[in-house]
Amino acid sequence: MNRAFLPFARPDIGEEEIAAVADAMRSGWLTTGPNASAFEKEFAEFLGGGRFAVAVNSATAGLHLAYEAIGVGPGDQVLVPTWTFTSTAEAVRYLGGDPVLVDVDPRTLCIDLADAARRVTERTVAVAPVHYAGLAVPDAALTAFAAAHGLKVVEDAAHAFPTLNEGTLVGAGRHAATVFSFYATKTMTTGEGGMIVTADEALAARMRTMRLHGINRDVFDRYSSSKPSWHYDVVAPGYKYNLTDTAAAMGRVQLRRAPEMMARRAAIADRFDAAFADLPVQRPPRAAEGSSHAWHIYNVRLTEDAPVGRDRFIELMAEAGVGTSVHFIPLHLHPYWRDTYRLAPDDFPVASAEFERSVSLPIFSAMSDADVEHVVGAVRGILG
Ligand SMILES: *Cc1c(COP(=O)(O)O)cnc(C)c1O
């Protein structure tokens, strides 16, 4: 069999997205404008309304703005699972705060709230749970934990669109802020981009101001309102985190297609679960009743009786024409975090052990049935 190499991820972009971006380019308005405003409104409506959505140029920027708006400052601590991308922690450093890494639950690889409780100090101000792979940290437990310790919650929902958490969509709950990513590999994309969602109007206003240089009127407002267009006030030293209208135009189409893309990923996960049932792998956990899985990542863990280790498995998958990845190399194993906070593998026994046997298989909505069978055949050829 001589199939083309299947990459680990490929965005699901069709003619509708291309036409929407072309229309935006022809409209004469490229930067944040009518498409970005409409995208924010439609995103908030998707989550059920009653929310403010703030479009940004990445989830990393969104995390920075959310932490800033809730008041994270020098010396403040934010609890972050070690099993995440570096953004969740680095944005705390931007503000002079200290991320406090936390070990993960062995089943879900999401933040272990019992371990988090042990790491709370009088400097801890917030917790930033990551809904790993698209399966949410159970909300009742998360809410109770935050209340017990007086912490604000900033959800890193980069994987969790759309995800139901105990009956409520992630982003439609009561937490201070929820941050989504529209990076090219995520469940919906604008190339680069993100969205912050909050129910708190003052928080939304602060994030909108800081998103654009600390200016309290955005460019689109200035050119479309009756006040003189040359006038603006700088009220804080803000950032440059606004989303372009070309990106927002793509995002509006992706948002409409999100349920269909989600259903495709769920079907792929079902096929993988069935195909790997008799293999020496631990398959990903399933959502509990009332919750759902966005299936951004399909992570398997090789068990002791697997004929090869994780690194060799990745090489053999590549030889069989399938790209894979690892989500994540835990933060405490990266030089910056390890050396800055003097962290050792033993401080995070679950994440350190699970990392050694974890691998992510391709699961994206643009995969054909033949692509899915290509992955199944490659995995079974190595482990079967
Ligand atoms: C992708 C990702 C981010 C960063 O998203 P960007 O939009 O690329 O900034 C943050 N957290 C997690 C868990 C991610 O997977």
Side-chain angles (χ1 to χ4, degrees):
M1 196 167 76
N2 210 350
R3 290 188 51 89
F5 190 85
L6 180 73
F8 172 67
R10 195 192 313 124
D12 188 348
I13 297 296
E15 291 307 318
E16 239 195 303
E17 283 86 348
I18 293 167
V21 172
D23 282 350
M25 292 178 79
R26 290 192 185 96
S27 75
W29 199 284
L30 297 181
T31 187
T32 310
N35 267 300
S37 300
F39 186 31
E40 290 177 337
K41 191 166 160 282
E42 289 158 9
F43 198 88
E45 279 164 7
F46 185 100
L47 295 177
R51 291 286 174 288
F52 304 92
V54 179
V56 286
N57 59 12
S58 73
T60 307
L63 288 162
H64 187 188
L65 291 176
Y67 292 150
E68 199 275 342
I70 64 165
V72 173
D76 289 341
Q77 293 177 334
V78 178
L79 298 163
V80 171
T82 188
W83 196 274
T84 186
F85 187 59
T86 196
S87 299
T88 327
E90 81 184 23
V92 178
R93 296 294 300 134
Y94 296 169
L95 297 158
D98 295 306
V100 172
L101 299 184
V102 177
D103 208 355
V104 290
D105 177 276
R107 192 179 77 88
T108 62
L109 304 174
C110 286
I111 191 166
D112 175 346
L113 294 174
D115 188 58
R118 289 190 284 274
R119 297 179 197 251
V120 169
T121 74
E122 65 284 357
R123 290 205 284 135
T124 314
V125 298
V127 57
V130 175
H131 302 307
Y132 175 66
L135 189 63
V137 177
D139 203 59
L142 176 62
T143 301
F145 168 79
H149 298 283
L151 307 179
K152 300 217 162 109
V153 179
V154 173
E155 296 177 280
D156 180 336
H159 301 181
F161 186 79
T163 295
L164 209 52
N165 188 354
E166 297 179 344
T168 303
L169 279 170
V170 170
R174 287 197 191 89
H175 301 303
T178 304
V179 182
F180 298 93
S181 173
F182 308 137
Y183 182 67
T185 59
K186 298 284 157 69
T187 59
M188 63 169 273
T189 186
T190 60
E192 299 280 359
M195 192 73 80
I196 319 165
V197 177
T198 180
D200 181 333
E201 189 164 11
L203 215 62
R206 175 68 181 179
M207 295 190 293
R208 283 185 200 287
T209 296
M210 295 307 279
R211 167 178 71 174
L212 198 71
H213 306 293
I215 292 172
N216 67 356
R217 269 180 94 185
D218 73 25
V219 183
F220 184 57
D221 273 351
R222 282 169 54 204
Y223 286 92
S224 58
S225 88
S226 55
K227 290 185 198 129
S229 65
W230 53 265
H231 190 269
Y232 61 87
D233 292 317
V234 173
V235 297
Y239 315 106
K240 186 72 203 299
Y241 284 164
N242 53 306
L243 186 71
T244 66
D245 251 28
T246 43
M250 189 190 313
R252 294 176 69 192
V253 178
Q254 289 267 294
L255 179 63
R256 284 200 291 280
R257 294 185 50 221
E260 155 222 324
M261 295 193 291
M262 153 89 246
R264 176 62 185 155
R265 291 190 308 277
I268 297 169
D270 287 346
R271 172 65 187 133
F272 285 169
D273 273 3
F276 305 151
D278 60 334
L279 298 184
V281 292
Q282 181 179 335
R283 293 167 293 164
R286 286 274 164 173
E289 187 73 32
S291 295
S292 72
H293 199 313
W295 293 114
H296 168 52
I297 288 170
Y298 189 94
N299 169 76
V300 296
R301 290 177 257 178
L302 302 184
T303 56
E304 265 170 20
D305 40 343
V308 292
R310 189 271 314 271
D311 294 359
R312 183 68 187 138
F313 176 82
I314 287 173
E315 288 170 7
L316 291 170
M317 286 294 284
E319 281 173 26
V322 178
T324 57
S325 192
V326 176
H327 297 95
F328 289 97
I329 302 167
L331 294 185
H332 67 271
L333 300 179
H334 288 284
Y336 173 76
W337 299 113
R338 181 193 65 206
D339 299 345
T340 303
Y341 293 102
R342 296 193 180 79
L343 305 172
D346 287 351
D347 299 336
F348 309 91
V350 175
S352 299
E354 297 306 316
F355 164 64
E356 298 293 337
R357 62 193 193 99
S358 276
V359 57
S360 308
L361 303 178
I363 182 164
F364 52 92
S365 49
M367 283 171 79
S368 66
D369 287 347
D371 292 334
V372 175
E373 294 314 310
H374 184 180
V375 177
V376 167
V379 172
R380 293 200 62 85
I382 299 164
L383 300 177

